[in-house]
Amino acid sequence: MYVTPPTPPVTRPVAAPVWWQVFGPGLTALIGLFMLTAIYRFDGMSEIQRDFGLSDVSLLLIGLVAYLAGAALAAPAGLLLGARFPTAVAVPAACFLLLGVALAAFAPAGGVLAIGRVLSGLGTGAAAGATVALTLKLRQLRAAIAGVFAALAVLSLVLGPVIGQLISEAVGFRVVQLAAIPLLLIALVVTGVIGLVRLSTAKRPAPPVSYGMPYPPPGPQSGGV
């Protein structure tokens, strides 16, 4: 009896990311970098320091060190997983940042503010790591995308104290934190849409055609007359 050989398992190659996938985690990372410096001002004591009665050292620990510590913890995960699972990394990153700015906006004391800054740092670090990982894996426009996001990152850090000071002096520092929430919701929508589009346009290789003969070749039948 002829037996058809088993079909070898099909392994799908991992598709290289495309340039527009960077915009999901990239937008979240830019918002996070802006929020990193938005609580400061260039010409003296910030509104958040005055409202909470924080010393310079306390502001440094709560405002900067806590944020950077969270970013340092989450950035490796973004670097390792961001290129392969950009949506799965960018969505939680935006959620962490969203929760962090909400806690900072409604914080009654410095302890809650510190927790909010750590959560914001986690989201920013994961999104920044995913952005870097995606950019390094690009086959086209890698240099252009890297240059644009590097310039925007520096601009976000520089504009944070300027815009934060203007809003804080007019309506309070809490509004600065609340203003980030609709931007993060937009980042979540952008990330989700990009993930769905990438999923629907991913090329799925067809299973290999079996060249085995399902039936034995025709031949003379054995038997007597």
Side-chain angles (χ1 to χ4, degrees), residues 23-39:
F23 287 99
L27 180 57
T28 301
L30 292 176
I31 297 172
L33 292 174
F34 178 88
M35 300 310 298
L36 170 62
T37 58
I39 65 171

Side-chain angles (χ1 to χ4, degrees), residues 101-211:
V101 297
L103 283 177
F106 297 104
V112 178
L113 177 63
I115 296 173
R117 297 293 284 178
V118 171
L119 292 175
S120 296
L122 289 172
T124 302
T131 303
V132 172
L134 279 170
T135 304
L136 293 176
K137 291 290 185 179
L138 291 179
R139 295 178 180 175
Q140 297 178 344
L141 301 176
R142 181 189 301 172
I145 294 295
V148 168
F149 272 96
L152 291 176
V154 174
L155 188 63
S156 298
L157 291 171
V158 173
L159 289 180
V162 177
I163 298 178
Q165 177 180 344
L166 292 175
I167 298 177
S168 296
E169 290 181 346
V171 289
F173 81 90
R174 298 181 190 273
V175 178
V176 180
Q177 305 295 317
L178 291 174
I181 292 179
L183 297 177
L184 288 169
L185 293 177
I186 293 174
L188 279 171
V189 172
V190 170
T191 302
V193 170
I194 289 175
L196 291 175
V197 171
R198 181 57 174 166
L199 184 63
S200 63
T201 58
K203 296 181 179 179
R204 298 184 177 182
V209 178
S210 174
Y211 294 99

